[in-house]
Amino acid sequence: MEQRGAQQWARRCLLGCVAAVLLCSVASAQLRYSISEEVEEGNVVGNAAKDLGLDRNTLKERKYRIVSSRPLFHVNPNDGILYVSRLIDREEVCAQSSTCLINLKTVLENPLEVHYVGVDVLDVNDHAPSFEEKDKKMDISESVLPGARFQLKPSRDLDSGPFSVQNYKLNENDHFRLEVKDKGQDGKIPVLVLQKSLDREAAKSHSLVLTALDGGKPPKSGDMNILIAVLDVNDNAPVFSSDGYSVTLNENAPVGTTVVQVIATDLDDGQNGDVIYSFGDSVSNALFKMFDINHSTGEIVVSGLIDYEERETYEIEIQASDKGLAPLTTEKSVIIKIVDVNDNAPEIEVTSFSSLIPEDSRPGTTVALISVNDLDSGLNGKVICSIGEDVPFALSPSSQDKMYSLVTKSPLDREKKSKYDISVVARDAGQPALSSEKTISVFISDVNDNSPEFSSSPYTFYLSEGNNAGAPIFSVKAFDHDENENAKISYHILRDGRGDNKLSSFLSINSENGQISALKSFDFETLKSFHFQVVATDGGSPPLSSNVTVKVFILDQNDNAPVILYPVSSNGSAEGVEEIPRNLKAGDLVTKVRAYDADIGYNGWLLFSLQQVSDHSLFSLDRYTGQIRTLRSFTETDEAEHRLLILVKDNGNVSLSATATVIVKLVEPKEAFAASDVKSAAKVDEEDNVTFYLIITLGSVSLLFVISIIVLIAMQCSKSTEYTSKYLQDANYDGTLCHSIQYRSGDKRYMLVGPRMSIGSTVVPGSHANTLVLPDRRHTSGEVRKLWLIFTNSIPKHICICLLNSFSLSMLILCALF
């Protein structure tokens, strides 16, 4: 066994020697760089490959790398440049050593080469000195003599060398100075030296600031607050706050009444400054029965019956002592003068009282009868009774002595205040006067003198069309300042049968909570807005009521699908046939799909899209106008018939749509022209007849419009008019040509024409395609303005708007025809 162990040991030694020889053969000279700590990640340390004389072209093939365990640096295998891998904190890596050298081992393979690179991390002044204790408390007796020394804990700085703590300084003060003791490697130690005696009575404590400075430029510093508490020595006797005490005391003062409080202070601290009080040795036993003293507070209190007729003056010696080991004592005299006083207060008695009076009581109504009495005589028995001036009541003296009547002096209002606590004060004429006080509570009962008030007037509600019939749509709320039955409110809708209030028959209201329900579903296309009145009635007797106007505006919903006008619908589907010649060019119009939507705004804006087509290269569809045009010229190989399926949808949140089918047939140009001539002849005859009838109709409407204006102006010439409305009124007339809404935007007025005037057209978003702009000319002539005011005030609004719409439409059609 021993022989085998010796062989293994020899083998290991041989292998170690071989490895050492190999390492020595591949190792090269040491390379050393210097960088400052806190450099940013990615900073270049140096070109290690160049400085080591390595071939840059073989670095990547030989896998040039760092094999050190610390991932502080990395080398680029392509160019051999050494970089910082992360932020280096010298204090973290090397603590407080004087030098911080990081050895890196770089390796190349094939053949193996090891190169050592040393990086010296230089310290920067990135840490300030700091004390273990930010606030230090010290206790020093005032008896300590000058020259006493108090060593303090030194400050620590994570930096090293010249950036460590180099000096200390102390703030300016009268009692201490600073010495700094240098202990070599242990640093510099601050020492406080007392240079002036302490006096706790002059200053109980001293606040010092010790500052440590390092060697940076500029230096960094750290502070420690030192609070020195001065310990006391019993070197002061108690001192009374007054040179003499002279007080007066009323006779019959109750036991426990404080006569006077003597106060003595001791400038010492703790037991040396705690003062106790006692009667002097010269005080007789009789005085101990009359008075007592609180040993802690110095209060002299009454302990027996005090009678002016028995003795008028008392003189008591008071002694104040501290609690020091050798107590110090001071004495002072207290003179007490007894005063004959009015020692009976008046008595108040309420003989008759009504605690509840109605709020409509007249001024002068009697509420209570009050009698007063005082057992004293003379001026001490003369009593004057009074109450506060901030209540609607008054005291009226009675014919009998010391009797008063409490009466109302002004109207009462329970809603402002329902309860009065009246303080009756009886004061005698003694010196000093004595008084008594008694509180009488008077409750004000309610009278129905307030009508219900609505929380808003008028109410404005917005209701989406298509509401559920019978379901609540909104509610009104009223309140009454009265109480109980007088404040119990019931609601009902005013139904007077007037033309503008007919819709109230389709509404119901919950009489208890004011919740309003609609008995029908409203349609925006037939009704834009309406108003009605709600009446709130209280339960008083007689009842009071008030009403409020409720304005309801119907909001449009996308409940109407687009309607295809061309091609004409039959058997539930819109389908049309268009014959076009084969020689049409690219961009020529084939036909136009026409549609309209009864909704308005976004809900009525239509978009066209091509859903199905036999050949996508032949036709295009304008998404806004519905025009179908050719994309290219037709060839002989194109089919003679093409079927196009067009989808028309609106822009509602949930879009509604309709489809139309257009069958396009390609014919030879001669056949197309023949068919076109036949259609044109029939169309010319038809258009001539239609034009003739339209001219007659529009001429009649225009003549009627002019005659109506002349008649209405003549009727209103003798009437005074006043035009104060700033905005045009809304119209809800449901005639064929009068479906419009007028509004103002900036300096222009607009008339938005309903769906019936936009048949065959498409409203493009952002345009005024179905809006007529009304000129708003501001004439300087007063007569023209007056004539216009007379006209606008005289014509009923729905007739005026209808005439304007009819006239405007007539002009538009005439312009289109000619």
Side-chain angles (χ1 to χ4, degrees), residues 105-174:
K105 182 164 67 175
T106 64
V107 177
L108 292 96
E109 298 180 357
N110 299 323
L112 178 65
E113 288 187 31
V114 179
H115 297 275
Y116 292 93
V117 178
V119 180
D120 190 6
V121 181
L122 304 179
D123 189 24
V124 297
N125 191 21
D126 56 345
H127 293 86
S130 62
F131 291 90
E132 292 183 6
E133 298 177 315
K134 290 293 183 181
D135 299 296
K136 182 177 179 60
K137 294 183 179 180
M138 299 176 61
D139 295 331
I140 302 177
S141 175
E142 63 178 331
S143 61
V144 174
L145 298 176
R149 300 167 64 84
F150 305 93
Q151 183 170 311
L152 303 175
K153 288 185 178 182
S155 173
R156 299 299 178 190
D157 194 323
L158 296 178
D159 296 322
S160 61
F163 297 135
S164 62
V165 178
Q166 300 296 320
N167 195 13
Y168 292 92
K169 66 177 182 179
L170 188 68
N171 65 314
E172 294 185 3
N173 66 95
D174 296 333

Side-chain angles (χ1 to χ4, degrees), residues 707-718:
I707 293 173
S708 300
I709 293 176
I710 296 173
V711 172
L712 292 173
I713 292 175
M715 292 173 63
Q716 297 297 326
C717 281
S718 60

